[in-house]
Structure formats: structure tokens, C-alpha cells
Amino acid sequence: MSDIADPLFAPKGVDLEHPSVARIYDWFIGGTTNWAVDREFGAMALKVFPQARMLAKTNREFLRRAVRYCSEQGIHQFLDIGSGVPTVGNVHEVAQEVDPDSRVVYVDNEPVAVAHSKILLEQHGDLTRHAAIQADFLDHANLWDQAMETGVLDPRRPIALLTVALLHFMPPETGAEGSLEYYKTLLPSGSYLIASHGTNDGVPEDVRKQQAILMEQYRNTASPVFFRDRAQFTALFDGFDLVDPGVVWIPEWRLDDKSPMTEELVLTPNASCGFAGVARKP
Ligand SMILES: C[S@@+](CC[C@H](N)C(=O)[O-])C[C@H]1O[C@@H](n2cnc3c(N)ncnc32)[C@H](O)[C@@H]1O
């Protein structure tokens, strides 16, 4: 969304001195809502972990496939937490390809991401069906109330909740599992949980070494990374029914011909360093 990527759009009080995960990720996947401090951090990250950009794109592709899948199952409403800076392939754009009346609330705790989401929706969205709010995943009651107060979502009808590339910024001691449980309890029957998550469990040894250096670098951002293993990730879906193919490496989740896959990822999907899954509330 290059037309809205202007530092003038940074809301007052936003920290432009330190790198932000939302804006680094934006830079990785080809967006322009990022500042020199983010690009410098991203370039440094690519030096120790050259595949970071490709993995960010692979994750974004999973998001597209999962949203499309849910839309095809008749899901009409999406709550995208940790939605990031709106760049390529936003949830409302994917969903409305299948369901032109779909409804989406974007949530992020990063003020720049939220400000740009609002501008994007004002320019290209439909404010009766789309909204963006600033809230923290861990502040669950407040987040849910704010999301429902937008009037965009009907809490009595199934909702797909997205926590895509989000929970690895919240180790268990933050109470992330409890917050997720709060949302899962409030979601009506027939709702979906869509999640992906960074890991070092089962990752090739050489990649693990690079990951360890990258994690050190992320300690310098406001959002250090914490890996969950396969069992911890799978447990996030407890009480929901995982849809086929279950918990898999990110590039393996219902791959379609639109998803760009490097030969390396086809041969070694565990080099994607992330798990993905989608599950339905019975
Ligand atoms: C790596 S980006 C993922 C963006 C998008 N979900 C995707 O996968 O394409 C992670 C996003 O989570 C946001 N985030 C991190 N911690 C959060 C929290 N506690 N509550 C809400 N958002 C958070 C960051 O600001 C960032 O925009």
C-alpha cells in the first residue's frame, strides 16, 4: 500500500527510534510502511537468517489459504489479532473474493499498524463491514469488547479467529494460553481458529543455529521471539477439531498452485521454522 506509506501517517507518540516487529515484517513481505530503523534491523536479520523474507512470505501465503478455506466453509466473519501493517493480501481482500459481504475486524497493539489499517479501510474498504482497533491480545476482555463494539461482528454467528505469526511473541508466562482460552470460550459453535507459530522443534540443525542468532537480535525489539514446540502449538487448539491435514509445517498446509514454494521448502518443509493449523469449534 505504497500510497499510504508516509511517516506523516505515524500517529503521535509512536516510537520511530526502535525497530518494530510489525514494520520489519511489512518490509520482509514487500510493504512500504516501515522506517529506516526497521529496514536496518531487517537487513541485519537477513545477514544471519537469509531465508527470513521468504519465510515471512510463506507465512502470509498460509494466511491467504486458511482465510480462503474458512470462507469456502461459509465463514462470514473474521477477527484478525496481530494483523500487522496492511500490505499484500489482507484478510478482507482474500475473504471477499469468496464472500463479497464478509466482515473483518483487524487488531494490533502497534499504533502504526492500526493507523495504516484504518487509512487502508477508509480508502479501499467498507466501514460498515471492516474495522481496525488497537488492543493487546493479552488484554483479552478489553480486546473482545472493543472488537464487538465496532458493530462489525455478530458474536452469535461463527467467527474465524486469526492468531497468525502472533503467539511466538508471547511466552506461556505472559498468560497467552489463558487469553486464547478466553477467546475460544466466547466464540460460538462452528467458529474457527487459524494459527501459525515459529518454532525450533524439528528444524534442521544448521537452521537452528541461525535461528538462535536471530532470536538474540529480536531481543532488541519490543517483541522478543519465544518458540513453542509441536506439542505446545498443538495444545493451542484443544477442544477444537483440527481440519485436515492437522498441525503441519507452514508450507504444507493445503498448498495450492498460487503459493510460491522454493525447492528447498518442498524438500525440507521443516526449514520453514513454523507450524500451522486450522481448527473448528464443535
Ligand atoms: C509477524 S506480524 C504478523 C502479521 C500477520 N498476522 C501475518 O501473519 O501476516 C506480528 C504482529 O503481531 C503484533 N503483535 C505482537 N504482540 C501483540 C499483542 N500482544 N497484541 C496484539 N498484537 C501483537 C505485532 O505488532 C505485529 O503486527
Side-chain angles (χ1 to χ4, degrees):
M1 296 301 132
S2 49
D3 53 332
I4 59 170
D6 184 314
L8 294 176
F9 286 109
K12 267 194 188 143
V14 163
D15 180 358
L16 296 177
E17 303 292 317
H18 298 98
S20 122
V21 289
R23 299 177 332 230
I24 299 164
Y25 181 81
D26 174 67
W27 184 68
F28 280 157
I29 65 174
T32 48
T33 310
N34 45 71
W35 278 261
V37 64
D38 308 308
R39 294 189 288 274
E40 275 159 26
F41 182 94
M44 209 167 68
L46 287 176
K47 274 194 188 139
V48 292
F49 199 69
Q51 61 277 50
R53 171 169 276 145
M54 185 265 293
L55 296 186
K57 289 183 176 169
T58 302
N59 177 67
R60 195 72 178 171
E61 274 296 305
F62 158 70
L63 178 145
R64 178 186 62 74
R65 299 195 300 275
V67 168
R68 193 171 177 94
Y69 171 85
C70 288
S71 295
E72 286 169 353
Q73 307 313 304
I75 293 292
H76 183 65
Q77 318 190 90
F78 295 82
L79 178 56
D80 182 4
I81 309 183
S83 49
V85 177
T87 46
V88 201
N90 296 304
V91 172
H92 73 283
E93 292 161 343
V94 178
Q96 65 196 14
E97 278 172 19
V98 179
D99 173 3
D101 293 325
S102 54
R103 307 175 85 86
V104 182
V105 173
Y106 291 106
V107 186
D108 208 286
N109 67 351
E110 222 271 6
V112 173
V114 178
H116 282 261
S117 302
K118 285 188 170 159
I119 293 164
L120 172 84
L121 296 177
E122 275 160 23
Q123 291 179 347
H124 304 291
D126 169 350
L127 295 181
T128 63
R129 296 187 294 110
H130 308 131
I133 59 169
Q134 185 177 344
D136 196 293
F137 176 85
L138 297 170
D139 190 8
H140 43 258
N142 168 49
L143 187 154
W144 183 268
D145 289 350
Q146 271 200 63
M148 295 309 142
E149 276 161 19
T150 62
V152 165
L153 304 177
D154 178 349
R156 295 160 305 179
R157 296 188 62 195
I159 298 171
L161 171 70
L162 288 93
T163 66
V164 177
L166 171 70
L167 294 174
H168 49 229
F169 297 113
M170 289 166 247
E173 57 270 25
T174 60
E177 270 77 358
S179 293
L180 182 63
E181 205 48 47
Y182 179 89
Y183 302 119
K184 283 167 67 185
T185 304
L186 288 178
L187 291 173
S189 163
S191 293
Y192 282 81
L193 172 62
I194 301 175
S196 68
H197 196 294
T199 193
N200 60 0
D201 180 17
V203 166
E205 199 45 46
D206 52 330
V207 180
R208 263 179 97 117
K209 286 187 187 141
Q210 293 171 308
Q211 272 184 317
I213 305 173
L214 186 67
M215 278 184 76
E216 260 324 294
Q217 291 192 352
Y218 265 83
R219 279 189 221 292
N220 298 327
T221 69
S223 315
V225 175
F226 171 86
F227 293 138
R228 281 179 176 77
D229 63 22
R230 184 182 281 267
Q232 287 173 309
F233 177 71
T234 306
L236 300 176
F237 298 99
D238 280 356
F240 282 35
D241 300 324
L242 278 160
V243 305
D244 202 40
V247 166
V248 289
W249 296 106
I250 292 174
E252 291 180 328
W253 199 88
R254 289 181 177 255
L255 197 59
D256 61 21
D257 17 325
K258 271 201 191 165
S259 293
M261 278 285 281
T262 62
E263 197 180 331
E264 187 205 357
L265 281 182
V266 174
L267 296 173
T268 50
N270 53 341
S272 66
C273 306
F275 295 124
V278 176
R280 182 178 183 277
K281 184 166 177 172

